[in-house]
Amino acid sequence: MSFHWESTIFSIIAFGLLYWLLNKYAFGPLFGIMEKRREIVLGELEAAEANRKESERLLAEQRQALEEARREAQEIIETARRTSQKQAEEIIQAAREEANRLKNEALREIQNEKNNAIAALRRQVSGLSVQIASKILERQIDEKAHEQLVEQYLKEVGKTS
Amino acid sequence: MRIGVHEFPVIEVGGFHLDLSAILAIVVSGIITFVIAKLATRNLSIRNPSKLQNFMEWVVEFVHKTIASTMPLSKVKMFVGLGMTLITYLFVSNLLGLPFGIVTEHHEEFRLFGSVVVSEETIEKHGGEVHVAWWKSPTADIMVNFGLAIIVFFLIHILGLKMNRKHYLKHYVEPYPVFLPLNLIEQIVRPVTLAVRLYANIYAGELLIATILMLNFVGIPLLAVWQGFSIFVGAVQAFLFTILTMVYISQAIVHEDH
């Protein structure tokens, strides 16, 4: 066993050189790559987090929109029901009024007809009376004949009227 | 024949004694570490990483967690590169000597690049035969480990002075000024134990492998078991060196409120 300090010096120089070479050409780039990957992973994690938040926000928005749409639909149905009810009532009301109007009109017409008929009858009766009277005046001679005549004319009147 | 212990090929160049086996081991470990790391980070992809990239990212995360267990998270980032270099380089280094060994036998003077590697004297001393080991784990050489420990030593104190000066200096006289020598010794002992622990574990492993090899065929199952265990030891020691370095740095730069 011998000791040579030259080996020590050589060892120091060699290690220094190796340290420099390794860090410049091998480990340096490797550290760089690892650091870059770390950053990428970090960035992707952040992006994923952001995406999650965004989707949560969108989901909440969708839910709200759906809720709103449902409420609106309910409102529309409610309105339609109210409108239709009102319309139905209106229709019934109108029908009832129309019926009343027709009935009243009919009544009035009947009244008119009745009045007309009575007037016409009155006119005929007076004409008849005048005729009867003139006939009676024509045949005053014979009481019998007169009676017969009255009867005959009454019959005639009865026939014509 | 002496068991397990070999001579190392040392040449003299311009007054420096270069241990060729240590230099070879360091260079090879460094190249293997760099090539693996480079292969793993060749086609970096964020979304579709290759298997090797996945593995390397797992190592990074492991180191990150290890460092984070010693200091506040805000300071961890600075030291991940250091931790990665330490743990990968040490793991490769610890395993380097396991798969095989290169040993040459010399009966006469052996020269390399005009420098005497094995002298006649050494051969005489070893009884006419000298074994030279060319291949080992760099961390099985304590002088190499001291190099790493010195780096850690300077890192601790420079970082402490730069990032946490007041409390770093104050902690030398805590809890009482009397403790100053003790604290100073502690600062010296820490890197020494780092180096020696690593050296002892790895060197012992290789020594045992060399010893088992002398059993020839009988030793094969034993060798397999021990090599498997050595991989485990190598991993544990690489991890220990890294986490202890981080603990020491953390103690120097982090001021905890009591």
Side-chain angles (χ1 to χ4, degrees):
Chain A
M1 192 68 221
S2 49
F3 300 99
H4 302 287
W5 59 268
E6 291 89 347
S7 298
T8 308
I9 303 295
F10 191 78
S11 169
I12 293 174
I13 295 168
F15 185 79
L17 192 69
L18 184 67
Y19 175 75
W20 179 74
L21 280 174
L22 280 179
N23 279 288
K24 190 166 166 64
Y25 294 108
F27 296 150
L30 183 66
F31 295 161
I33 283 284
M34 288 174 79
E35 183 62 26
K36 228 181 266 170
R37 180 185 301 130
R38 204 181 60 83
E39 271 162 23
I40 284 176
V41 168
L42 221 63
E44 272 171 9
L45 278 178
E46 266 165 27
E49 180 69 14
N51 279 348
R52 198 180 59 79
K53 278 199 181 134
E54 174 73 10
S55 60
E56 255 171 31
R57 198 180 58 74
L58 283 177
L59 188 68
E61 229 165 64
Q62 293 290 320
R63 204 168 277 159
Q64 204 181 342
L66 197 68
E67 196 60 39
E68 214 159 280
R70 195 170 286 156
R71 220 183 42 238
E72 246 164 57
Q74 202 66 40
E75 231 163 71
I76 287 168
I77 291 173
E78 196 62 34
T79 318
R81 188 185 294 143
R82 263 205 308 274
T83 315
S84 68
Q85 222 160 17
K86 215 166 85 188
Q87 247 167 8
E89 268 165 28
E90 269 171 11
I91 288 169
I92 291 171
Q93 189 66 32
R96 194 169 284 149
E97 272 167 21
E98 180 72 8
N100 273 344
R101 197 178 57 77
L102 284 176
K103 199 178 84 185
N104 289 346
E105 224 163 75
L107 279 177
R108 236 187 354 263
E109 222 152 275
I110 290 169
Q111 197 67 40
N112 274 355
E113 287 298 309
K114 200 175 103 189
N115 289 349
N116 284 351
I118 291 173
L121 195 65
R122 215 167 260 160
R123 258 196 321 273
Q124 270 183 356
V125 169
S126 60
L128 273 180
S129 330
V130 173
Q131 273 182 335
I132 292 168
S134 59
K135 293 273 182 184
I136 291 169
L137 287 178
E138 273 172 26
R139 295 212 186 170
Q140 268 176 347
I141 332 136
D142 184 7
E143 195 67 23
K144 264 187 164 177
H146 190 67
E147 252 175 46
Q148 268 179 339
L149 215 60
V150 169
E151 227 168 272
Q152 188 191 332
Y153 282 119
L154 274 173
K155 258 178 206 166
E156 271 172 27
V157 169
K159 259 180 208 168
T160 48
S161 65
Chain B
M1 192 199 265
R2 290 171 66 208
I3 293 174
V5 182
H6 304 287
E7 291 297 311
F8 291 112
V10 180
I11 59 168
E12 205 180 320
V13 179
F16 296 117
H17 295 83
L18 301 182
D19 184 343
L20 290 180
S21 65
I23 291 173
L24 180 72
I26 291 171
V27 170
V28 171
S29 296
I31 288 173
I32 292 177
T33 311
F34 183 74
V35 167
I36 290 176
K38 191 63 208 161
L39 277 180
T41 57
R42 196 175 34 174
N43 291 315
L44 285 174
S45 160
I46 292 179
R47 294 191 180 273
N48 190 20
S50 63
K51 277 180 184 162
L52 259 177
Q53 188 192 335
N54 262 334
F55 172 73
M56 209 37 100
E57 283 183 15
W58 172 76
V59 177
V60 171
E61 255 149 39
F62 175 74
V63 169
H64 193 276
K65 245 187 282 173
T66 305
I67 302 173
S69 67
T70 66
M71 60 179 81
L73 216 54
S74 58
K75 294 193 170 65
V76 170
K77 221 172 179 180
M78 287 191 285
F79 302 111
V80 177
L82 176 68
M84 284 296 290
T85 311
L86 270 177
I87 206 163
T88 49
Y89 173 64
L90 284 175
F91 183 64
V92 171
S93 296
N94 293 348
L95 301 192
L96 195 69
L98 291 180
F100 56 86
I102 301 172
V103 179
T104 50
E105 280 182 30
H106 299 278
H107 301 283
E108 46 203 56
E109 198 183 69
F110 174 58
R111 287 168 164 271
L112 198 69
F113 304 125
S115 166
V116 182
V117 177
V118 183
S119 65
E120 293 287 354
E121 284 169 49
T122 333
I123 295 172
E124 294 261 314
K125 213 165 69 185
H126 289 84
E129 189 179 77
V130 171
H131 294 257
V132 177
W134 295 83
W135 191 261
K136 64 176 177 183
S137 288
T139 44
D141 187 326
I142 190 156
M143 297 310 282
V144 173
N145 291 358
F146 273 137
L148 297 172
I150 287 168
I151 291 175
V152 172
F153 179 84
F154 279 106
L155 259 181
I156 293 170
H157 298 294
I158 291 171
L159 286 171
L161 278 172
K162 257 176 81 177
M163 297 171 66
N164 190 27
R165 183 167 299 161
K166 195 173 143 218
H167 294 102
Y168 165 76
L169 291 175
K170 205 173 134 203
H171 108 273
Y172 279 103
V173 289
E174 274 176 347
Y176 305 107
V178 190
F179 280 74
L180 178 64
L182 216 62
N183 282 326
L184 284 175
I185 291 171
E186 189 196 5
Q187 295 306 320
I188 302 294
V189 165
R190 276 175 169 182
V192 172
T193 55
L194 266 186
V196 172
R197 180 188 302 110
L198 186 57
Y199 159 72
N201 274 281
I202 305 306
Y203 183 65
E206 295 197 353
L207 206 60
L208 193 57
I209 285 177
T211 313
I212 292 171
L213 280 176
M214 290 177 174
L215 294 172
N216 288 333
F217 296 111
V218 187
I220 288 175
L222 199 58
L223 188 66
V225 171
W226 182 250
Q227 282 193 322
F229 184 64
S230 289
I231 294 174
F232 172 68
V233 170
V236 168
Q237 290 305 319
F239 171 71
L240 259 179
F241 197 100
T242 310
I243 193 171
L244 282 174
T245 301
M246 293 307 161
V247 168
Y248 297 154
I249 289 176
S250 156
Q251 282 179 349
I253 64 167
V254 177
H255 169 62
E256 281 166 32
D257 294 306
H258 296 294

